[in-house]
Amino acid sequence: VQLQASGGGLVQAGGSLRLTCAASGRTFSRYTMGWFRQSPGREREFVGRINDRGGDTGIADSVKDRFTISRDNAKNTVYLQMNNLKPEDTAVYYCAASRSWDIRPSQYFGWGQGTLVTVSS
C-alpha cells in the first residue's frame, strides 16, 4: 500500500486542521492505520491509530481530547481531525499502515511524504 498525507498548513493556536491520508491499492481495509509526527531533533512520535474496520481507535495522551482519527474504507482514506491546536503540535505528520495493533513506528509501513503542520502562537 502506498500512502500520501495532505492537509497541513499554517494555523494559529486554538485553530483546527483535518489531515487526510489517501491510500492506493486494494488492501487498505485490511490494515490498522496510524498517524505519527516528527519535529526537528525529535524521534517520530505516535499520534493515533484506527483498526481495520474503524471500530476501535487509540490516541496518544499528548493529544487526547483534541485529536480524533477516522477512516472511510470505501474511499481508501484515513483522517486526523486536530482541534485546539497548540504550538507544540508543530511537526511533519505522517500516516502509515500496520498488520498489528501497535504504536511503534517500526511496525508500520507504507510511509509516504508527510504533511507539515505549523501552529503559531
Side-chain angles (χ1 to χ4, degrees), residues 19-114:
L19 304 185
T20 299
C21 175
S24 63
R26 301 181 180 179
T27 58
F28 172 78
S29 62
R30 299 179 185 177
Y31 303 124
T32 289
M33 296 300 299
W35 283 99
F36 295 80
R37 66 185 182 185
Q38 189 167 20
S39 52
R42 301 188 66 177
E43 293 185 352
R44 193 160 294 187
E45 175 190 14
F46 167 77
V47 174
R49 58 184 172 172
I50 186 166
N51 72 345
D52 54 355
R53 297 187 178 184
D56 196 9
T57 62
I59 300 292
D61 288 343
S62 58
V63 300
K64 204 171 185 179
D65 299 327
R66 298 190 296 121
F67 290 14
T68 57
I69 187 170
S70 61
R71 69 190 295 165
D72 185 340
N73 285 346
K75 296 182 179 179
N76 275 15
T77 303
V78 61
Y79 305 98
L80 182 68
Q81 178 66 44
M82 307 186 296
N83 299 327
N84 190 22
L85 283 160
K86 303 177 180 181
E88 52 263 41
D89 295 319
T90 295
V92 177
Y93 284 71
Y94 301 87
C95 59
S98 178
R99 295 180 178 86
S100 61
W101 186 243
D102 208 302
I103 66 170
R104 296 170 293 174
S106 63
Q107 300 304 304
Y108 285 77
F109 60 91
W111 303 89
Q113 289 186 341

